[in-house]
Amino acid sequence: MTIASESQLATVDASDMLGAIRTLPAQLREGYARARDARAAIGREWPHRERAGRPGPRTLIVCGMGGSGVGGDLLGAAFDVGVPVIAVKGYELPSWASEDDCVVCVSYSGQTAETLSCFRAAVDRATVSAVITSGGELGQLAAQHGVPVVGVQSGMQPRAAVGVLFGSLAGVAEALNVIDDAEDAIESAARAAQAVIDLHVGAGDQDGMTVQLEDDPPALAMARQITDATAVIYGTGMTVPIAWRWKAQINENAKHPAFANAYPELDHNEIVGWERAGACGRWAVIELLGPDILPQNRQRMDVTNGIIEDDLVASLRFQTTALDRAGATFELIVWGDYLATYLALVNGVDPTPVDRIQRLKQELAGA
Ligand code: PA5
């Protein structure tokens, strides 16, 4: 079923995912402020070693899954990080992790098995600097072990809390001397997010969706182009982790197949796979271009598009207008969140529930 009218779209969005997107700028500021309030406690635990002229950990390891884990990927997109940031998405810490490495565990619910497993390993053999959570078992474990907690409000979908989780993580990373000037960057990210929201709210996605069809919010118009196509999101450089966020948002909000890949690597394999795309369904490619894209990669995108365009039902491209990395990151995050949410709505899908994730967690827990 494809839903056409704006009032029908509002009805489908029963838990107001569009409203959650509008809170992202405030979330970013709030998360950063919460981490800043915990700064003294966070700094107490980190290994004070001089590395390349600056004190800090050897690496920052960010453990988290899904909507909670994405911040670990986005940190390196939005900031010039002073040490490697390793996003761990699984049960185990890297074998090399030691007390020279700072670990931050992020779980919105505080109940995620993989993140709890990493926390337990980290208290044994690394420096656990903070947890970011709304509570749950992770919050309890942190209290038992004296690990600082950056608390976030419960009641949201984890992926819709990306602003508060990311703002918190940025504040923690700054307290650990992994990034500098986080406050300015978070402000830039919040302003860039707001600019994209204004484009959509101005077009009428607030309070009853009263706009006419010819006034489709821009992401809704784009969603209409890919309603029955598998979405493939391509990034390069800083937009690679954002491409993964778009893929995950399209999966979870729209309950729709999506995949992600990166230039220039895809030009060495995936470009050939498109030859039989038509035999395997309908496909749309969406490319994300950040402010620091290399000219060589831009040229590759243009040439690749010319080669694969006949294999696709749609080809979309997003070039950020924000010139700084933090701003560009959240400009694209908000575009992706809108696209994924409108894709759900035009297909008659409620963007909020993720029944299959809940069912999986219950079955694994033996419920
Ligand atoms: O969006 C979701 O619900 C998931 O991607 C969760 O974020 C993921 O399952 C991890 O759960 P939590 O964020 O509570 O740690």
Side-chain angles (χ1 to χ4, degrees), residues 65-69 106-112 115 157-159 165 249 252 354 357-358 361:
M65 306 302 298
S68 291
V106 187
S107 171
Y108 187 77
S109 64
Q111 296 296 107
T112 298
T115 314
Q157 288 292 321
R159 63 191 183 281
L165 295 174
Q249 287 295 88
E252 291 189 61
V354 281
I357 294 177
Q358 301 310 330
K361 288 180 177 179

Side-chain angles (χ1 to χ4, degrees), residues 96-349:
W96 46 258
S98 76
E99 62 183 11
D100 286 349
D101 305 293
C102 284
V103 175
V104 180
C105 292
V106 187
S107 171
Y108 187 77
S109 64
Q111 296 296 107
T112 298
E114 298 94 317
T115 314
L116 290 168
S117 168
C118 286
F119 180 92
R120 291 190 178 99
V123 290
D124 281 346
R125 63 185 171 94
T127 301
V128 191
S129 298
V131 306
I132 300 170
T133 184
S134 69
E137 193 174 341
L138 186 61
Q140 289 169 8
L141 282 172
Q144 278 167 24
H145 290 273
V147 171
V149 176
V150 181
V152 298
Q153 193 181 340
S154 61
M156 302 178 76
Q157 288 292 321
R159 63 191 183 281
V162 66
V164 70
L165 295 174
F166 183 80
S168 300
L169 182 61
V172 171
E174 186 180 48
L176 297 173
N177 218 16
V178 169
I179 59 173
D180 297 319
D181 302 325
E183 186 165 14
D184 288 348
I186 290 295
E187 189 52 38
S188 176
R191 281 199 302 269
Q194 188 64 54
V196 181
I197 291 164
D198 289 347
L199 278 180
H200 290 79
V201 172
D205 78 349
Q206 203 168 23
D207 299 335
M209 315 267 297
T210 54
V211 294
Q212 302 302 308
L213 280 181
E214 58 268 29
D215 295 323
D216 271 356
L220 171 56
M222 290 168 189
R224 291 191 196 282
Q225 295 183 55
I226 63 169
T227 50
D228 61 352
T230 298
V232 181
I233 321 300
Y234 287 162
T236 186
M238 66 158 282
T239 68
V240 172
I242 305 168
W244 279 93
R245 163 76 181 182
W246 281 47
K247 171 236 181 299
Q249 287 295 88
I250 291 171
N251 292 152
E252 291 189 61
N253 281 10
K255 288 74 176 165
H256 197 94
F259 301 90
N261 207 342
Y263 283 103
E265 174 64 18
L266 72 90
D267 273 350
H268 300 271
N269 36 66
E270 190 158 309
I271 187 172
V272 186
W274 285 116
E275 285 185 30
R276 278 188 32 82
C280 303
R282 291 164 62 79
W283 302 84
V285 162
I286 306 173
E287 293 173 324
L288 309 182
L289 287 72
D292 57 356
I293 185 169
L294 289 175
Q296 302 95 308
N297 283 327
R298 180 184 284 274
Q299 184 191 20
R300 280 181 177 277
M301 286 184 170
D302 291 340
V303 175
T304 303
N305 266 276
I307 294 171
I308 69 175
E309 64 188 347
D310 290 344
D311 306 315
L312 308 172
V313 298
S315 178
L316 307 173
R317 188 175 275 192
F318 286 79
Q319 169 72 65
T320 56
T321 57
L323 299 177
D324 65 296
R325 285 167 49 178
T329 297
F330 270 83
E331 181 182 350
L332 285 174
I333 292 283
V334 176
W335 270 109
D337 283 11
Y338 269 122
L339 181 69
T341 303
Y342 279 123
L343 182 59
L345 300 182
V346 293
N347 282 328
V349 171

